[in-house]
Amino acid sequence: MDAQLSLRRLEIFRLVVEERSVTRAAQVLMIAQPAVSSQLRALESWVGASLFVRRGNRLVLTEAGERTAVWAKEVLAGAAQIRREVGDLSSGQTGRVIIASSMAVGTYLIPPAVARISQERPRADVTVAVGRPDEVVHGVDTGEFDFAVLNWDERDIPESMTSELLIQSRLGIFATERLVPPGTSMTVAEVMRLPFIGAPSDVVYQRNLVEQLRAADAAEPHFMLRLGHSEAMIRAASANDWAIFAPVYTLAGDARLHEIDVPDLALTERIVLLARRDRIPSPLQRDLVAEIRTALRQYDIRVHQE
């Protein structure tokens, strides 16, 4: 069997597993449904067992199919890694790293650390990809990303991956001078009556924020507007005299907004490192992680509590 064709068959098989449908897999791949079915039959012939049974309108993996799916994921993840590594050698690059991150972390925290490494190693190829947590987890698990640094909730991750808490960062409440004069101290009830701008309700950052407010018995604030990017939220708050909940690192040294003192409210976010258990990091990857740890440490409230 041709090695390249084998990888293609595994990729098609994994997509059918994820979609639970030959038809949907064919639509994603933009190929004819019989072509997908043909690849599945060829793979079943190669492994010597049926991989799916049909239950109603859904395809369900057999026991052989489940084992093949686990194996296929490992093979494809390894193939993605080796393609990058061999490509680096043939092109003369000193290394290539793809880091995944969430919006605020990937906008404010990761770029300075990556820039320092890039200045030291101008021939290194470093990419920071920003995405939603579920997309990031999937990408790390399949080998698309080398590792990820992002704000986190309590979601489960595959057993093939590890999660390490890097820092616990403080969330503050910020406003313009016109809305709240600098030096003002407010109660929780008073600050919650301010007009706020927030993130979409399904975003991890926003869900974590609302959960913490509920745990503190604080009324949920009125969000005048919801925007999907932290910088857009900061600009809108500054332009319209609204308040904003934000990680302190997003407004460090920024004169547009100042932090309101709310003594009885402590809000935080967790930033974690995600990686595959079986991944052996390259020297460039290890140095990048070390640089990111150093950059994030200044915002770790645990350090300041020691």
Side-chain angles (χ1 to χ4, degrees):
M1 177 182 293
D2 182 81
Q4 184 176 2
L5 182 58
S6 296
L7 286 179
R8 176 63 171 169
R9 285 177 183 168
L10 292 182
E11 290 169 347
I12 291 173
F13 169 62
R14 285 291 301 167
L15 184 59
V16 173
V17 170
E18 292 175 3
E19 297 292 337
R20 297 292 185 183
S21 167
V22 172
T23 300
R24 287 197 294 270
Q27 291 171 346
V28 171
L29 294 168
M30 292 187 291
I31 61 177
Q33 181 177 329
V36 174
S37 300
S38 176
Q39 292 291 337
L40 291 179
R41 287 194 297 271
L43 182 59
E44 287 178 328
S45 175
W46 188 80
V47 300
S50 296
L51 301 177
F52 295 97
V53 294
R54 182 169 293 281
R55 291 181 183 170
N57 295 326
R58 294 192 310 126
L59 289 178
V60 179
L61 286 170
T62 62
E63 182 178 354
E66 290 177 352
R67 296 190 182 188
T68 303
V70 172
W71 169 74
K73 183 173 73 172
E74 299 297 326
V75 170
L76 292 172
Q81 181 176 357
I82 199 65
R83 281 198 297 266
R84 289 199 301 271
E85 292 174 352
V86 172
D88 293 340
L89 292 173
S90 63
S91 64
Q93 295 291 322
T94 58
R96 182 184 300 167
V97 182
I98 303 178
I99 308 167
S101 187
S102 50
M103 186 67 70
V105 176
T107 300
Y108 298 97
L109 289 181
I110 302 300
V114 170
R116 283 190 288 272
I117 290 290
S118 296
Q119 287 178 337
E120 296 172 1
R121 307 180 190 185
R123 294 178 64 196
D125 183 356
V126 182
T127 300
V128 179
V130 174
R132 297 170 65 90
D134 52 350
E135 298 168 342
V136 169
V137 170
H138 178 74
V140 172
D141 192 33
T142 59
E144 179 182 357
F145 307 128
D146 295 298
F147 61 89
V149 180
L150 69 165
N151 66 322
W152 196 239
D153 54 12
E154 297 297 332
R155 72 182 60 222
D156 294 328
I157 61 174
E159 293 183 359
S160 58
M161 293 172 56
T162 62
S163 172
E164 175 193 347
L165 177 63
L166 292 178
I167 66 169
Q168 189 167 330
S169 178
R170 186 169 61 83
L171 296 180
I173 303 176
F174 297 83
T176 63
E177 294 184 4
R178 293 182 296 274
L179 180 63
V180 179
T184 302
S185 181
M186 303 181 73
T187 67
V188 175
E190 288 172 340
V191 80
M192 291 305 153
R193 288 195 288 268
L194 295 175
F196 278 89
I197 183 168
S201 56
D202 62 338
V203 171
V204 168
Y205 158 78
Q206 190 72 13
R207 291 205 311 266
N208 287 342
L209 170 64
V210 171
E211 288 174 4
Q212 290 184 69
L213 292 176
R214 288 173 179 169
D217 292 326
E220 185 170 343
H222 172 59
F223 292 106
M224 307 292 292
L225 178 66
R226 296 179 185 270
L227 294 173
H229 195 288
S230 50
E231 184 61 25
M233 293 165 62
I234 293 170
R235 290 185 179 185
S238 177
N240 296 279
D241 291 330
W242 293 333
I244 183 175
F245 296 92
V248 293
Y249 59 77
T250 65
L251 285 156
D254 193 322
R256 290 174 293 179
L257 303 172
H258 68 90
E259 187 171 3
I260 304 171
D261 180 33
V262 188
D264 296 328
L265 187 63
L267 303 172
T268 63
E269 75 168 2
R270 298 187 306 152
I271 298 177
V272 303
L273 171 69
L274 297 181
R276 281 181 59 89
R277 294 182 186 276
D278 60 359
R279 178 174 291 280
I280 301 175
S282 68
L284 177 60
Q285 292 168 12
R286 288 196 296 267
D287 291 346
L288 270 169
V289 170
E291 189 68 36
I292 290 170
R293 290 183 193 277
T294 300
L296 268 60
R297 184 175 172 81
Q298 62 181 306
Y299 298 109
D300 193 349
I301 62 174
R302 300 172 302 173
V303 173
H304 302 296
Q305 292 171 349
E306 292 176 356

